[in-house]
Amino acid sequence: MSTNLETARHPETLKRVCIEPLTRVEGHGKVTLFLDEDNHVKQARLHIVEFRGFEKFIQGRPYWELPVLVQRLCGICPVSHHLAAAKACDRLVGVDRLTPTAEKVRRLMHLGQVLQSHALHFFHLSSPDLLFGIDDAVAHRNIVGVIRDHPEIAMQGVLLRKFGQEVIRVTSGKRVHGTGALPGGVNKNVSLEERDLLLAEIDRVVDWAEKGVQLIKRIILTRPDFHYRFANVDANTLSLVAPDGGFELYDGGLRARDPQGETIFDHADDQGYAELLHEEIKPWSYMKFPFIVALGPEKGWYRVGPLARVNNCERFHTPLAEQERQDFAAAGEGRPLQAALTTHWARMIELLHCAEAIRELLADPDLQGTDLRREGAMQTTGIGVLEAPRGTLFHHYEIDSDGLVTRANLIVSTTNNNQAMNASIRRVAADDLDGHALTEPLLNRIEVAIRAYDPCLSCATHALGKMPLELELLDAEGRRVGRLVRHADGSVAA
C-alpha cells in the first residue's frame, strides 16, 4: 500500500485533482490525485511546495550561532530545534553531560514546548474534525465552530497553550525564539519567583490535560470501527526511550520496532544514527524519504511522533499518563495501534505526561542552581537528537578549526513521517475515494489523515544534494516562452 499508488502509468490519460493548500497544518503543501474515467484512484502524492534550504545557508556560520539560528526554521516548534542544536553543540565543545541545573532547565523548556504544541494542534487544528465529524459542513468545521459550540473546550486549549508558552519564556527568555540554551549549558536558571508563577497554575493545567485525554478517548471509543480503520497503515516505529524502556523526550537511546511490535534495534546510541538510517530523494518532493538501513527503502520506512512513542515505550514515570497508556495499549489487544486518528489519543496522553512532569520538576531545587555551563575539548562533529512534538529530530553538524560549519544534516520529524503520511493518504484514497464522485467532505478525509501527523512542512523542506527545479519564463500575456528544468541527478535541459 505504501507504493502501489505512488506512480501512475500513463498519467497523461488521467484526471488530475489537486488539494491545495492543505489546511490546518503548519507550512505549505498539496496533495495530487490522478483518477481514471471511473474515478478509480491511480496515484496519490503529498507534495511539499516550499523550499528553504537551511542545511546549506548555515554553512560558514560559527557553531555558537546554531541554537539561535536554526530555530528560525519554525515558529511553532522553535524550542525543539533550539535544543537539538544545543545538544549537538554540547558535543562540539566536548561536553557529554550537563550540570544538573542546565539539564533540568532544558528539560523543563522542552516539556513546555511539547505541551503547548500538542495543545495547539489538538484543540485548534484537529478538534473541528473530531468534535463535528470529518463530513461536517466546511463552514462549521473550523475553530470558530468549536468556540461557538464548545466554548469550554476551546478555552482549555487556549489556556493550556498559554501555560506552555510561559514555561518557555521562563526558561529561555522569550515565548518564541528564545536564547536559553548555549553550547555546554544554559544562560539562566529558574528563579523562585518564576517557579511560583508556574506553580500557581500547574494543578489546573494537569486537570485540563486529564479532561483532554478523556475527551479524545470518548471520541475514539464512541465509533471504534471507524477510528481504528481510517488511514490504518502498518508502519515500523522509531523513537527515543529511557534506559529502562520508559517514555523519553529529551535524551535516551533509539528504539525501532516493526508493525507487530517486534524489535528491529533497541537502545541504539543516537550518535550512530547515520549507520541506522539513510535518506532517499524522489524527484516530485522537496522532502526526503528516510528509511531503516537494515530493511531498505521499500520496507524500512517508519513512523515517528506521539503514536510511535506511546507504542514504543514500556511505561510513563508519571502516574496519570501511565494509567492512560495502559488503557491505550489494551485497545490494541497485544498489537501496536496503527490507525492515524489514534495519534490524537497518544498526543493527549503525552500532553498529560508533560503537565505532570512539569509539576514534578518545579519542586526540584536544582532549577535554582547557579552552575549553568561546562566546557571540554573541542570536537569537529556534533550530533543532537531529541523527541520534538511531531517526532524524532536529528541535528548533525561538522565544523572546521575556526569553528565554522562545513556540513549540516537535519532530519526533522515531519521528514521522518514522509512515507508514512503518503501511505496514509493512499489508504484513504483506496478505501474512501476510489470509484466515488469527489466531494469536499471526501477530499477532507485526505487532509484529516495528514493532519493527524501534525506535520510542520516548513521544517521539513530543505535539500540534500541536487534537488529538481523547474523554471518557466512567461510573456506579458502569460504565454510560456521558455522553460529550463534541472533534474534530480543534477542534469539541466531546456
Side-chain angles (χ1 to χ4, degrees), residues 43-75:
Q43 178 178 301
R45 289 176 174 177
L46 167 64
H47 304 262
I48 309 306
V49 297
E50 58 182 330
F51 174 73
R52 308 191 74 187
F54 258 77
E55 289 172 320
K56 189 64 177 178
F57 65 69
I58 59 177
Q59 293 180 21
R61 306 303 304 176
Y63 74 87
W64 56 83
E65 289 184 354
L66 291 173
V68 172
L69 182 61
V70 297
Q71 64 180 328
R72 262 65 183 184
L73 271 165
C74 184

Side-chain angles (χ1 to χ4, degrees), residues 344-359:
H344 298 298
W345 189 356
R347 182 174 288 114
M348 295 309 289
I349 294 172
E350 290 190 345
L351 188 151
L352 175 58
H353 162 77
C354 289
E356 290 184 278
I358 288 170
R359 182 162 60 183

